[in-house]
Amino acid sequence: MKDVEQVPLQDGFGRQLGDLRLSVTDRCNFRCRYCRPTGIPGLPREEILSFDEIERLARLFVSLGIRKIRVTGGEPLVRRDLPLLLRRLAGLKGQGLQELVLTSNGSLLAPLAGLLRRSGVDRLNLSCDSLRREGFKALTGRDGLDLFLEGLKAAHEAGFRGTKVNCVVIRGLNDHEILDFARFADQQGLAVRFIEFMPLDSGSEWGPERVVPAAEILSRLRESLDLEEIPARNPAETASRFRLPGGGEVGVISSVTAPFCARCNRVRLTADGHLRTCLFALEETDLRGLMRQGVEDSELLESIRRAVLGRERGHRVNEPGYLRPGRDMAGIGG
Ligand code: SAM
Ligand code: SF4
């Protein structure tokens, strides 16, 4: 019989989980209109998992078949000594982890890029929603476009390849820049991912009329560009991807208008140690509480398995009576 932790983590609908979104802080130096537009006080420090606690849980998840960890937040680079944690997480590659990715708004990246690379981060996902200084400021609350561009350049110089730029598209705010982003991707040899605006902001920006459907994004791009569809690399891939004439790439993520829940292989851990089995979940499992009660690894593994077995079939954003989770995107870890 296999050891209990070697049986892959599978939910009640037969989906095998392979991807952990690990939030290291709920704090952020930006005020994105679609995420956390006002400065909500961060969680008290004692509620945030320590590096030892994070590493312990990450190791358990890897023992359960998680192959990719994406470190996120809040803004992960505001967490003190993050490279030390990343080095510890990268150490899990000897135990089955295949990829360590960092998601960031890029504003603090330039001076850190080399250290992050040396710490074992394989790839970066950077967020940028406007390529115009004023637009960037209006969307993020910070005059940060130059810092983002410097971070992107520094990442390339530090040896990062396959960097993706995430752009949340909001009707009336930045949808007039869709083509600019695609051209930017092609010039820079990058992949841009257009993400549908999801009802996870803590402000009052979201409404169905604000969502630009992925299909509309693609048809707008096709008016000016030849898009060559790229076959999916694996069944859990969330983006539909297209090659651009100059070698760049665009992708669209249709989380709202064409949900991919049936293929979703992700699980999330919040900065205060709560396991979420869906981005939109209304319930969480308090792994921090268990750890601080002093339970053994076997009990943590059992709790993770139980939570995953009860995983929801999919989100209900498009159903009447949809209820938002109690945390916003920065608090969940996008
Ligand atoms: N601060 C980092 C950043 O901005 O990349 C990491 C955390 S952020 C919550 C992760 C991703 O979630 C970003 O790409 C951001 O654009 C996306 N995001 C935040 N709020 C969103 C929303 N309401 N709908 C869709 N994507 C959202
Ligand atoms: Fe901060 Fe990222 Fe949310 Fe913007 S999207 S407020 S950068 S956590």
Side-chain angles (χ1 to χ4, degrees):
M1 205 175 93
K2 285 181 171 181
D3 288 347
V4 66
E5 66 267 29
Q6 285 173 347
V7 180
L9 199 51
Q10 188 157 308
D11 71 18
F13 300 97
R15 295 170 295 194
Q16 197 168 313
L17 303 192
D19 184 334
L20 171 67
R21 301 293 157 104
L22 197 163
S23 174
V24 294
T25 180
D26 67 325
R27 290 167 196 251
C28 187
N29 57 342
F30 275 21
R31 299 284 175 265
C32 298
R33 281 174 71 167
Y34 53 80
C35 181
R36 183 176 284 183
T38 52
I40 298 172
L43 290 162
R45 296 212 184 278
E46 63 279 10
E47 290 189 18
I48 300 288
L49 294 188
S50 67
F51 286 180
D52 285 344
E53 289 171 324
I54 293 175
E55 187 186 6
R56 178 180 179 195
L57 289 178
R59 182 173 46 75
L60 294 180
F61 276 105
V62 169
S63 78
L64 289 166
I66 291 295
R67 294 293 168 256
K68 174 172 168 183
I69 293 182
R70 178 156 342 148
V71 172
T72 182
E75 173 47 45
L77 295 183
V78 305
R79 174 103 191 221
R80 190 179 304 164
D81 294 331
L82 185 74
L84 296 178
L85 173 68
L86 293 169
R87 190 175 290 277
R88 289 167 72 165
L89 294 175
L92 297 173
K93 286 187 198 161
Q95 297 173 38
L97 182 68
Q98 287 168 0
E99 200 179 20
L100 181 63
V101 182
L102 179 75
T103 301
S104 165
N105 64 30
S107 61
L108 305 170
L109 178 61
L112 282 172
L115 180 56
L116 294 174
R117 184 82 188 134
R118 291 193 296 281
S119 303
V121 177
D122 297 301
R123 223 166 34 73
L124 298 171
N125 279 5
L126 302 178
S127 303
C128 178
D129 314 296
S130 174
L131 294 167
R132 303 176 192 182
R133 185 173 174 189
E134 285 308 316
F136 191 101
K137 202 169 157 188
L139 274 152
T140 65
R142 292 287 181 267
D143 188 4
L145 179 59
D146 287 347
L147 285 175
F148 168 80
L149 294 172
E150 281 163 29
L152 192 61
K153 185 162 170 267
H156 191 79
E157 285 167 1
F160 282 107
R161 296 294 178 264
T163 301
K164 289 180 197 155
V165 174
N166 290 343
C167 172
V168 180
V169 184
I170 305 176
R171 196 179 300 283
L173 285 182
N174 63 351
D175 57 324
H176 56 289
E177 290 195 50
I178 291 171
L179 192 56
D180 291 352
F181 267 104
R183 293 204 166 114
F184 178 74
D186 220 15
Q187 280 157 9
Q188 304 268 331
L190 287 171
V192 168
R193 296 276 182 269
F194 296 109
I195 305 175
E196 288 181 351
F197 184 17
M198 296 182 268
L200 291 169
D201 55 321
S202 58
S204 52
E205 197 72 58
W206 195 86
E209 71 292 348
R210 287 294 218 182
V211 179
V212 184
E216 182 182 329
I217 296 173
L218 285 179
S219 71
R220 288 215 224 164
L221 288 173
R222 283 198 170 106
E223 284 168 14
S224 308
L225 293 171
D226 282 332
L227 302 184
E228 184 198 332
E229 187 154 8
I230 305 173
R233 284 167 294 207
N234 65 66
E237 194 155 70
T238 53
S240 307
R241 302 183 300 131
F242 301 85
R243 179 94 51 229
L244 295 165
E249 186 187 311
V250 290
V252 287
I253 304 188
S254 58
S255 333
V256 176
T257 61
F260 33 81
C261 306
R263 295 179 279 116
C264 176
N265 73 341
R266 298 169 183 185
V267 68
R268 291 182 148 79
L269 186 68
T270 62
D272 59 349
H274 287 62
L275 173 65
R276 297 178 60 83
T277 50
C278 172
L279 189 49
F280 297 88
L282 297 175
E283 284 173 25
E284 302 181 335
T285 301
D286 180 8
L287 298 179
R288 182 196 65 194
L290 289 173
M291 279 192 292
R292 292 187 184 176
Q293 281 164 31
V295 303
E296 302 284 332
D297 283 355
S298 57
E299 200 169 323
L300 285 167
L301 287 165
E302 186 48 38
S303 289
I304 295 170
R305 282 194 181 284
R306 210 175 318 116
V308 167
L309 260 184
R311 188 169 183 238
E312 36 290 272
R313 183 191 286 273
H315 74 60
R316 301 180 164 202
V317 171
N318 299 312
E319 294 176 20
Y322 160 70
L323 287 178
R324 287 179 180 229
R327 302 183 196 247
D328 59 15
M329 193 65 143
I332 294 170

